Amino acid sequence: MPTTPAAAARQILVLLQEVMASRNSAQAKLNKVVEIIGQSLSSEVCSIYLVREGVLELFATRGLKQEAVHVTRMAMGEGLVGLIATNVETLNLDEAAAHPDFSYRPETGEDRFHSFAGVPIVRRERSIGVLCVQHVEPRRYEEVEIEALQTVAMVLSELIANAELADDGPADARVAETGTTILQGLQLVMGMARGHAVFHQPRIHVEHTVAEDTEAERARVISAFAKMREQIDRMTGAAEFGTEGEHQEVLETYKMFAYDEGWIRRINEAIDSGLTAEAAIERVQQRTRMRMRQIDDPLLQDRMHDLEDMANRLLRIVSGQLGTAAQLGLRQDAILIARNLGPAELLEYDRRRLKGVILEEGSLTAHVTIVARAMGVPVLGRVRDVRHKLNEGDLILLDVAENTVLIRPGPDMDEAFENKLHVTQKRRAEFAAMRDLPSVTTDGQRVELMVNAGLREDAQALDLVGADGIGLFRTEFQFLVSATLPQREKQQRLYKDVLDAAGDRPVIFRTVDIGGDKALPYMQRDGDEELEDNPAMGWRALRLALDRDGLMKAQARALLEASAGKVLNIMFPMVSEPWEYEAARDLVEHQREWLQGHRKKLPIAVKYGAMLEVPALAEVLDLLLPRVDFLSIGTNDLTQFLFAADRAHPKLAERYDWLSIAILRFLDRVVRACVAHQVPVGVCGEMGGRTLEAMALIGLGIRRLSITPASVGPVKAMIRAIDATQLQSTMREWLDSGAPDIRERLTQWASDRDVELT
Ligand code: PEP
Ligand code: MG
């Protein structure tokens, strides 16, 4: 066995090429193939299973009993072979029988063989068969052998497809159904859209796998890389999205892949093993995909999508099959359908024609989501199998707020959707008209309406909705979208841009809330702490920041310098005890003194606040409040800790009510303490963005809300319609008497007074 994967695969491929070129029957070719592979890997058994009518059938074997050929059949998911095919994954076992999925087939005579390795034979991202080897001796197969098997499986997929031996992957089959279908997904970017399905791009299917001239294949890859880099450079330099912003950072990460020497090297190695340029790119991609699947890290998986995007682009260039739906003349009302998209791929679309995006994958922190938000295109993610449930051109109604996609709706559904869209647009126009009206109750009480933000672009929302400032700037967003730890200068630039966009309006910066489930792949954690059973209650936010104070010092400097000549409002997340707040404040103060000593321009004032998210802090407000300039209640975390109910758990989402007496009494106590200490208090959790809940908060005496920009209009309309004094005394009665149904009572109270709750 040669010692490098390329040499091992090449040796087999040379022999296979002859087999493929011969005029023998497909069955005879497969029989020859198992002989060649078995001999080359000195393997006692080599078998090929193919998917026929949805079942895996033993098609050829060397080493197992020949009587089993075309007799041994396994369902998808059954036995080791079924497992490999279903998961599209490699298995490498020294003792096959010890695996829980092992299924013994006596007709094969396989009981003598202990070790087992199998790889899927993939076409159009699905398994069309399995190639496996077995040994009597229990041993694990070496990496070179597995790699050789995987390369051979690629070539086999071409042979099998040409001979039409197996079921073809259904990826391109047209959808038979024509009726209405409703699919559910995950909200990524809010909005509604009506349009027709446009497939982003059928993946490039590699047709020719074995190279005739290795040098020529190398040259093709080199020129394709040059072309791709040129495209990416052009895109990153494009003026349309400006030169600043998170999407720019996203594109920089993307550029990193285009210039990654390791990637080119791996592709060249695959070409050395005898593959064509296309097959080599696909081969490297398959391997990366398999590796990434084993890593359970959403951030790394997001990067993987960027890499998939690049690999697809490279494949398109190298195979001359240029053109995504973006370049092929997009229809007026396109709703884009894709497994996933890279950020650069999305940027290629004409924003005026692109009405929405539906992805089979996707996540909130993925780069493509951030770019879509900047483009103002609604996105629904994690819509399972959507590509196989509709046809190009099908009518689609996308309603992200409802988490739904309606495919091929009936006329009445279409009409109802149009009506809702119309009402939403009308309401939006009404709210927009209220932009400059004061947020004051009918009895003259002012309620500050601020917005939650985290990206540079979000600051623009201030003007758009007429908010009083940014009540929560989640600084960790910049850390989450970066491939590396953002340098202090970069942080400072972002903060300054946000302050400039806000003008005279205040911006409350929250120091980073990272750690726990918002882990940064580039940040090393100390060995033991790597896995947390309970990340929300783990080493996160201020806890982590105080332990790793280098990070916090850099951020403090960036915030202080960015606020030169202005007021800096800074608050700390997840404060559990007053000393944590004190320590964080001291740290910032030290940085301020240092800057002063170095004659740097400073903020005219620094205002310090604490977030109240951990219930314990409410018990020590008498100690904390005299030391803070303001308090901000983070109801998202606070309520999950009060009810011991994970805020992200879908089964608990509806279980506890924000208007339950427990929460309201708790908040009431906090507000009363703040009033007694004359400390301004606001709410910055999602609760404040819902009109009924916001009304309850005003009834408790809250006069500052920081909410999502889209909620400013509806909440302001509610504020302008209520009498806060009356509401507050009514709420007082309900809280004191322990009314169990405050939600119903509040709804009734609003309806009696014609207060519209959107
Ligand atoms: C909160 O917990 O309510 C909050 C505003 O912070 P985050 O949602 O970022 O945890
Ligand atoms: Mg929080």
Side-chain angles (χ1 to χ4, degrees), residues 472 474 476 510 513 518 540 611 613 633-638 647 684-686:
L472 164 65
R474 292 180 163 106
E476 66 273 10
R510 171 176 78 182
D513 184 357
K518 290 189 214 158
R540 63 175 271 208
M611 281 189 77
E613 306 180 89
I633 308 177
T635 46
N636 303 340
D637 275 314
L638 179 65
R647 70 193 244 187
C684 64
E686 300 306 308

Side-chain angles (χ1 to χ4, degrees), residues 359-656:
L359 302 175
E360 286 185 359
E361 298 177 353
S363 74
L364 268 173
T365 51
H367 288 160
V368 68
T369 310
I370 293 161
V371 172
R373 198 173 291 126
M375 288 170 80
V377 177
V379 185
L380 192 69
R382 308 256 172 97
V383 184
R384 278 189 63 184
D385 234 15
V386 65
R387 285 179 306 162
H388 303 130
K389 301 233 160 92
L390 46 67
N391 295 306
E392 181 96 26
D394 277 349
L395 178 64
I396 293 177
L397 306 176
L398 173 64
D399 191 341
V400 181
E402 296 288 329
N403 290 326
T404 57
V405 188
L406 254 164
I407 301 170
R408 299 175 293 268
D412 44 346
M413 293 175 190
D414 195 15
E415 200 185 314
F417 186 86
E418 281 287 345
N419 286 341
K420 183 171 171 194
L421 194 62
H422 183 69
V423 171
T424 315
Q425 280 162 353
K426 206 168 131 228
R427 290 290 290 163
R428 210 178 295 146
E430 282 165 17
F431 293 141
M434 272 190 356
R435 208 191 74 119
D436 298 320
L437 297 178
S439 166
V440 176
T441 58
T442 55
D443 56 327
Q445 302 205 30
R446 174 150 163 71
V447 181
E448 257 182 289
L449 281 184
M450 302 174 94
V451 289
N452 293 345
L455 300 172
R456 188 179 264 107
E457 294 77 12
D458 294 347
Q460 294 158 8
L462 275 179
D463 285 328
L464 236 56
V465 299
D468 293 314
I470 296 178
L472 164 65
F473 189 87
R474 292 180 163 106
T475 60
E476 66 273 10
F477 275 24
Q478 186 185 27
F479 289 68
L480 290 170
V481 300
S482 286
T484 53
L485 195 74
Q487 297 296 309
R488 180 162 52 80
E489 293 72 21
K490 237 179 176 171
Q491 296 180 37
Q492 188 175 325
R493 215 176 318 132
L494 170 67
Y495 306 150
K496 184 161 179 340
D497 287 350
V498 172
L499 284 165
D500 286 348
D504 295 338
R505 292 162 294 196
V507 178
I508 301 178
F509 290 99
R510 171 176 78 182
T511 57
V512 283
D513 184 357
I514 48 172
D517 54 346
K518 290 189 214 158
L520 305 177
Y522 49 80
M523 208 173 112
Q524 291 291 317
R525 293 164 73 88
D526 309 331
D528 300 348
E529 293 143 3
E530 200 129 343
L531 288 175
E532 292 185 322
D533 286 339
N534 242 323
M537 298 193 199
W539 191 56
R540 63 175 271 208
L542 195 57
R543 301 163 179 182
L544 180 151
L546 289 175
D547 289 351
R548 291 281 172 89
D549 63 357
L551 185 90
M552 179 92 163
K553 281 179 186 159
Q555 184 171 38
R557 277 270 296 280
L559 284 166
L560 288 161
E561 294 203 53
S563 316
K566 299 183 173 173
V567 177
L568 168 61
N569 293 287
I570 183 169
M571 70 178 175
F572 308 114
M574 291 284 289
V575 177
S576 309
E577 296 196 318
W579 72 264
E580 291 170 324
Y581 165 79
E582 294 280 351
R585 186 191 157 121
D586 284 353
L587 189 147
V588 180
E589 282 298 305
H590 274 130
Q591 292 305 308
R592 176 150 74 151
E593 282 156 22
W594 189 91
L595 287 171
Q596 200 163 25
H598 287 75
R599 303 191 175 285
K600 299 265 190 190
K601 206 166 165 230
L602 290 171
I604 46 175
V606 182
K607 297 210 166 154
Y608 292 95
M611 281 189 77
L612 191 138
E613 306 180 89
V614 179
L617 196 64
E619 294 300 326
V620 284
L621 285 178
D622 55 327
L623 307 176
L624 178 81
L625 290 176
R627 297 153 205 257
V628 299
D629 295 309
F630 62 92
L631 193 78
S632 186
I633 308 177
T635 46
N636 303 340
D637 275 314
L638 179 65
T639 49
Q640 81 164 337
F641 297 135
L642 270 178
F643 278 116
D646 184 347
R647 70 193 244 187
H649 199 305
K651 287 209 170 73
L652 301 179
E654 306 276 310
R655 192 169 187 115
Y656 303 103

